[in-house]
Amino acid sequence: MKNYNIAVIKGDGIGVEIVDQALRVLNKISSKFNINFDFKEYLMGGCAIDATGNPLPDETLKGTKNSDAVLFGAIGGPKWDNVERHLRPESGLLKLRSELEVYANLRPVAIYDELLDASTLKPEVIKGVDLLVVRELTGGIYFGQPRAKEDNRAYNTMVYSRDEITRIAKIGFESAMIRDKKLCSVDKANVLEVSQLWREVVDAMSKDYPEVQVSHMYIDNAAMQLIRNPKQFDVILTSNIFGDILSDAASMVSGSIGMLASASLGGKVGIYEPIHGSAPDIAGRGISNPIATILSAAMMLEYSLNEIDAANAIKQAVKKTLELGYRTTDLASFGARQVCNTTEITDKILENL
Ligand code: NAD
């Protein structure tokens, strides 16, 4: 029997409830596919600040580095909004990404036909959308120095080296090669020097991938095009901050932010997490949608553990559950057969697995 060590970080807010559901699904995968998961739980974010005074305790960092993969929920919440920046929950997550060197964040966006009426966008605009956002994750303005908040002035630095752009662009091109061979690089090269270098690197690399059709788009236009005609995109390659914002916008194409999974790759250990946050507005009510986290667990099986059949089984079980009309509150619409809470929708997914 194969054995995998999985570091589990539930985090704050709805993080706890959604990761619990993903673990139920993985436990069923374990018995169906004869795989053993050794789950070890670690603290990060607000709960870690409360317990240890540190958003990323050493034990968590060490445990994740020694694991085969990290399954993560979400961190943050109003309780920790006013603590010093280096002690904020988000600082813990940024440090974890940096320490694990997961510079490539893959965020697939697709729409299930059953959810066409759940999106605020028109069905004919979103039917058939299947795109991938490749977001740079360990550089750019979220990490750049110098940065400071003074009394009457504050600043951040958006910085990328040629090497950082080259390695993420390579992931973008390689992803396009196994998809529809279209790559749209999103930047702000009309204003930012850092984007001019980004564009230069992407153009130079395009010579190594002659089959890939490359285009460039400014971030402001990309935000508009994503809502106007999302079907024009195959792979979107972009920087840390632009990818953060664009993929939240893209989530509405899929019906709800509670549907979008992600994989953060590049180092030895990958991190798998939903794209959404800790949703303090609904935390503790048991109504959050766990599907993004369950699909993140499927990405973990696929990318880190190479358990492709198991990953596909989860994806099919989710699809079947939606086909049968079961929905969480965020997706509830006239087509819903039953509106389920967090546990009930997972019960249905388990039945279909
Ligand atoms: P959010 O993604 O937590 O929530 C945005 C909206 O989407 C809310 O109305 C929420 O109820 C809804 N939502 C999100 N996930 C859902 C789900 N699974 N099911 C149903 N509805 C869902 O973003 P926010 O409100 O801007 O941020 C809340 C906190 O999360 C902040 O502290 C922020 O810093 C943090 N955050 C953490 C991460 C992360 O851990 N990776 C990412 C983004 C935000």
Side-chain angles (χ1 to χ4, degrees), residues 14 72 74-77 90 93 257-258 273 276-282 289:
I14 63 167
F72 166 51
I75 43 104
E90 292 79 5
L93 176 57
I257 197 165
E273 56 172 306
H276 59 73
S278 58
D281 54 337
I282 56 166
N289 183 350

Side-chain angles (χ1 to χ4, degrees), residues 299-328:
M299 289 186 89
M300 176 179 87
L301 290 166
E302 182 177 344
Y303 288 92
S304 279
L305 312 182
N306 202 24
E307 297 285 354
I308 310 296
D309 290 345
N312 287 337
I314 295 180
K315 288 190 244 176
Q316 276 159 22
V318 168
K319 186 167 167 38
K320 184 81 191 292
T321 304
L322 296 171
E323 269 168 19
L324 291 173
Y326 297 104
R327 306 274 188 274
T328 39

